[in-house]
Amino acid sequence: IMKKITAAVCCGALALSVFAGCNGSGGITVNQGGSGASGEQGGAAGEATEITFCNWGDSEEKKVFESVFKAFEEENKDIKVNYLFIPQGEYMTKLSAMAATNSLPDAGQMLEANALDWAEDDMFVDVSQLYESGEITKRLDSVTFDETKSGSLGSSFITECYVLFYDKDYCDSMGVQVPAKVEDAWSWDEFVEACKKLTVDVNGNHPDDPGFDAANVKVYGISDMPAEMLAINNGGGYFNEDCTEIWLDKPETIEAIQMVSDLMNVHHVAPTPASRGAIGGGNNVLLTGKVAMSYAGQFNLLWYKQYIESGVLNLGFGVGPVLKEYSVLTSGPSVVVFKSSQHQEEALRLLEYFYDTENLMPAIQSGLWMPSEESYFTDEAKIQEWMSGGDYYNDDYRTAVIDVCHNNAVGNNFYHMSNYSTAYDLINTPLDQVWSGKKSAEEVIKNEIMPNLTKEMDRAGK
């Protein structure tokens, strides 16, 4: 990986995408590495060993991690955690530079899009024995990374999935009831009709009304519809399940991608990329009052909840349209121990702490994370503990989020692809022409994406 890291540092950045202590008794092999970026080794009696943990996020997420480290140190008096907080946009550039100078931290979060690439290049301690021994309990299959020739980096320590958030008061006022169970889900045509009811221009007209002004929409019915997820829902996808075949040019995938474009450019119920940028709001677009429904990661509940609790937003959790079989994409970073660490034993104890769901329960109940441990989706007592975090955990959350994540989840392709960033750059950049309405999905996929994507997958040996 050093050649790749050096090249990345010289170019400026690696591509980014869109999550009981181990003292040797578990049988995991501790490989002594290079210098690392941790503090001094604890030598004298009572002196704590310092280890460094890196991650990204915003100020709220930073507080969550600081609380986890504080709790860990209270239970592990012989370890002190130094926190290296790096902005997400700089994360892989910073890690690449540190790897090139043999100064990586001891442990940290790894961006999903880059995780398998680094794992294949033997940058992490193999944690397979922790899973085999049961020291790390069974995780959801949808957030488990493929094995590599250099071992296993395991699973995401938490789970995130797409959720259809919606403004319940607005939807009710427009006579639209958003389903919260898969068995009650809309068909595509029903979904489009619901979006039209929710979409109004500055004059109060809906898309099918005479005089509707598509250039001056006051409220859009839907925003941020994930095209890849809809393609999977339609029996397609960008790749097959194990990412050994390209499915981007399948008729089912092309149809779904065109459906997303048509929401923007034909039905006018969703903002184009330019309009979406003007609306703002980030992932919390419902707070702008300019969107009725929006797909976003479940983690946005952390930021929405203060507005729920203050009565500003009556947030709903829904299920989107079903084409053939309802699916939602999952994600979540892994926690890794870098092989260059001089303190792997202590770093692995911190890793195991992150994979004990009870240690993360305050952050889970805050809305930031969902468990990745399978039992928290099947054991009623554990589900109720999770949902006791606030009134925002209601019956609709149970069916539209917890049940869907367990029963309808499909893992993002970065769980299977070491060349994820490169491949998706080749896909996403040309698709901008589809979202803007300049070209059809079929034209762009077949003529502009497939030739380059086929070469890339051949190069990667897929």
Side-chain angles (χ1 to χ4, degrees):
I1 194 169
M2 293 311 297
K3 291 182 179 178
K4 285 189 265 185
I5 289 172
T6 303
V9 172
C10 292
C11 292
L14 286 174
L16 298 179
S17 65
V18 154
F19 262 14
C22 177
N23 58 8
S25 61
I28 191 165
T29 301
V30 177
N31 299 301
Q32 296 304 318
S35 61
S38 59
E40 293 299 316
Q41 171 72 46
E47 185 178 352
T49 297
E50 295 187 19
I51 60 175
T52 299
F53 183 98
C54 63
N55 82 327
W56 65 89
D58 71 358
S59 58
E60 289 299 315
E61 291 170 289
K62 187 172 184 286
K63 292 177 185 176
V64 169
F65 277 90
E66 288 171 341
S67 66
V68 172
F69 297 142
K70 181 179 179 180
F72 172 78
E73 289 175 343
E74 289 175 355
E75 294 185 22
N76 296 269
K77 303 291 188 183
D78 58 330
I79 300 175
K80 174 177 172 50
V81 181
N82 296 318
Y83 187 12
L84 177 61
F85 184 78
I86 305 170
Q88 184 171 355
E90 305 170 14
Y91 196 72
M92 291 311 302
T93 303
K94 177 73 171 177
L95 286 191
S96 298
M98 295 175 79
T101 57
N102 198 30
S103 58
L104 282 167
D106 298 284
Q109 279 190 163
M110 193 65 190
L111 279 171
E112 299 99 320
N114 303 92
L116 276 181
D117 186 27
W118 280 50
E120 285 190 350
D121 285 314
D122 204 21
M123 298 297 287
F124 310 134
V125 172
D126 180 1
V127 295
S128 56
Q129 293 181 54
L130 294 177
Y131 288 81
E132 292 166 3
S133 67
E135 291 176 77
I136 293 180
T137 53
K138 176 73 169 65
R139 320 317 273 193
L140 293 172
D141 291 339
S142 61
V143 293
T144 298
F145 289 89
D146 284 354
E147 297 275 339
T148 75
K149 63 181 184 295
S150 299
S152 172
L153 61 86
S155 303
S156 302
F157 78 99
I158 50 90
T159 301
E160 293 296 350
C161 71
Y162 273 111
V163 176
L164 183 64
F165 292 108
Y166 67 98
D167 183 332
K168 195 172 188 304
D169 288 343
Y170 178 77
C171 290
D172 287 348
S173 73
M174 303 302 283
V176 173
Q177 184 174 356
V178 181
K181 297 180 180 179
V182 173
E183 55 265 34
D184 300 329
W186 289 309
S187 68
W188 180 254
D189 289 342
E190 290 170 337
F191 171 71
V192 172
E193 285 305 308
C195 289
K196 288 180 178 179
K197 287 182 181 180
L198 296 169
T199 301
V200 294
D201 67 11
V202 292
N203 298 311
N205 294 319
H206 299 272
D208 287 342
D209 292 340
F212 175 76
D213 188 354
N216 290 286
V217 174
K218 182 180 179 180
V219 179
Y220 287 98
I222 183 70
S223 73
D224 306 313
M225 169 67 77
E228 183 177 18
M229 194 171 82
L230 190 66
I232 295 169
N233 189 327
N234 199 36
Y238 289 4
F239 300 90
N240 68 337
E241 187 174 355
D242 60 2
C243 296
T244 56
E245 299 175 11
I246 301 172
W247 280 12
L248 185 67
D249 59 342
K250 285 186 65 172
E252 295 88 346
T253 304
I254 293 173
E255 179 184 36
I257 291 174
Q258 190 62 53
M259 284 176 168
V260 175
S261 176
D262 289 350
L263 289 176
M264 308 175 203
N265 302 296
V266 176
H267 305 301
H268 304 295
V269 298
T272 63
S275 299
R276 179 64 177 86
I279 290 172
N283 290 329
N284 307 108
V285 68
L286 297 185
L287 294 175
T288 67
K290 297 179 180 180
V291 169
M293 303 184 292
S294 177
Y295 269 106
Q298 186 276 163
F299 59 87
N300 287 282
L301 183 56
L302 174 68
W303 291 273
Y304 275 135
K305 73 167 189 172
Q306 61 182 302
Y307 299 97
I308 299 170
E309 292 170 342
S310 65
V312 172
L313 177 66
N314 187 1
L315 185 69
F317 309 97
V319 171
V322 172
L323 302 181
K324 293 182 179 177
E325 184 174 351
Y326 193 68
S327 302
V328 295
L329 285 170
T330 59
S331 62
S334 57
V335 170
V336 300
V337 171
F338 294 99
K339 268 200 168 180
S340 58
S341 169
Q342 295 185 58
H343 309 303
Q344 290 181 16
E345 180 178 322
E346 292 82 2
L348 283 165
R349 283 162 63 185
L350 178 58
L351 180 149
E352 284 190 69
Y353 192 85
F354 273 102
Y355 282 86
D356 185 337
T357 305
E358 282 301 307
N359 296 330
L360 308 180
M361 190 50 64
I364 290 168
Q365 292 175 333
S366 77
L368 176 61
W369 295 331
M370 299 170 69
S372 65
E373 188 177 343
E374 189 173 53
S375 63
Y376 278 82
F377 295 84
T378 59
D379 185 313
E380 190 60 32
K382 291 182 177 181
I383 293 171
Q384 291 305 316
E385 179 190 11
W386 171 3
M387 292 183 61
S388 68
D391 291 340
Y392 39 84
Y393 291 117
N394 52 30
D395 291 343
D396 287 353
Y397 184 92
R398 170 67 184 268
T399 58
V401 183
I402 296 178
D403 291 348
V404 163
C405 190
H406 182 239
N407 300 322
N408 304 87
V410 176
N412 246 297
N413 284 331
F414 43 62
Y415 289 108
H416 313 292
M417 297 176 67
S418 59
N419 64 329
Y420 178 92
S421 293
T422 302
Y424 273 73
D425 282 346
L426 294 174
I427 295 171
N428 291 330
T429 301
L431 283 180
D432 286 342
Q433 302 169 93
V434 181
W435 311 143
S436 66
K438 293 178 180 178
K439 295 182 180 179
S440 71
E442 183 173 20
E443 179 184 2
V444 170
I445 289 170
K446 290 187 174 180
N447 298 337
E448 300 185 31
I449 300 178
M450 284 301 297
N452 294 323
L453 185 60
T454 300
K455 289 178 183 177
E456 167 56 26
M457 299 304 285
D458 288 343
R459 181 202 64 78
K462 296 291 186 179

